[in-house]
Amino acid sequence: MKLTNKTALIIIDQQQGLDHPKLGARNNPDAEMVMLKLLAAWRAAHWPIFHVKHRSTEPDSVFWPHQPGFEFKAEFLPHENEMVIEKSIPCAILRTGLDKILTQQTLQTIVLVGASTNNSIEATARTAGNLGFKVCVVEDACFTFAKTDYFGIARTAAEVHAMSLANLHNEYAQVVSSQDLLTAMSQNPRG
């Protein structure tokens, strides 16, 4: 994996609504800490950072814009030079103009972190991969929630996360650990 100063970090949906109990049990309890470590590394290197915020059109959503769940978590507030992208569907690429921004800035490699693995991360990775971007998903910097599968079998958040990563790896994206990513970043800090 080759990372340069043209590698964008895309942090998806780190909003207060993710902590709502109605979403249920989740995996990767340290994912936010890992995301913040990556965010600090990107900021220190002055590499491009994008914060994606979900603006739901459904009033009962944890991301409905007229309640606190829509707001970024305090520790994920963007800095002045970091772009905020709003989406109303799971994918952060479609209908947001993010693909055009990435292309204009000649950013061909993107690193995805955030939530949820089987929803916005997977949708964004698939679309970006199909559009020709090199996509990296950081497995320990993403998380999801328990879900009942199509056949009615309850699946843990860890199982949902693992299957989503399996769907993406070597097809639409490269799935890596944060440690491997930081090692690759340190080997080429100036691009």
Side-chain angles (χ1 to χ4, degrees):
M1 161 184 17
K2 181 170 171 52
L3 302 180
T4 72
N5 61 357
K6 290 293 191 175
T7 303
L9 177 66
I10 301 176
I11 305 169
I12 298 182
D13 297 350
Q14 288 312 291
Q15 296 160 256
Q16 295 174 30
L18 284 174
D19 296 332
H20 198 289
K22 80 177 189 178
L23 296 180
R26 61 168 272 194
N27 70 315
N28 275 359
D30 295 330
E32 287 89 348
M33 185 177 64
V34 175
M35 285 181 237
L36 290 170
K37 188 174 182 180
L38 295 174
L39 179 56
W42 250 256
R43 284 174 172 163
H46 304 288
W47 288 12
I49 299 166
F50 296 85
H51 298 263
V52 178
K53 190 177 205 182
H54 192 83
R55 176 182 286 273
S56 180
T57 59
E58 301 296 324
D60 64 341
S61 169
V62 298
F63 297 134
W64 175 245
H66 305 292
Q67 46 84 32
F70 175 68
E71 301 305 324
F72 283 117
K73 294 180 179 188
E75 61 272 31
F76 286 96
L77 287 172
H79 285 185
E80 190 175 304
N81 62 334
E82 298 166 1
M83 189 169 288
V84 175
I85 303 291
E86 285 196 2
K87 63 182 179 62
S88 60
I89 58 173
C91 180
I93 301 283
L94 295 175
R95 301 193 322 213
T96 65
L98 180 55
D99 58 330
K100 291 176 183 62
I101 295 166
L102 294 169
T103 300
Q104 286 168 353
Q105 295 183 19
T106 63
L107 305 173
Q108 286 301 307
T109 302
I110 62 172
V111 173
L112 299 179
V113 301
S116 61
T117 316
N118 62 304
N119 194 332
S120 294
I121 297 291
E122 189 167 341
T124 302
R126 286 173 179 265
T127 301
N130 283 330
L131 289 173
F133 292 97
K134 292 177 185 161
V135 182
C136 179
V137 175
V138 188
E139 57 88 8
D140 54 336
C142 299
F143 64 93
T144 194
F145 300 91
K147 187 176 178 85
T148 300
D149 74 17
Y150 179 79
F151 299 103
I153 299 168
R155 303 294 180 176
T156 67
E159 290 173 323
V160 175
H161 180 76
M163 184 52 70
S164 184
L165 295 176
N167 289 341
L168 295 174
H169 189 55
N170 291 331
E171 184 75 27
Y172 301 96
Q174 184 176 7
V175 177
V176 299
S177 71
S178 60
Q179 190 54 55
D180 288 345
L181 186 74
L182 288 168
T183 298
M185 187 179 188
S186 70
Q187 292 171 351
N188 198 2
R190 299 250 186 289

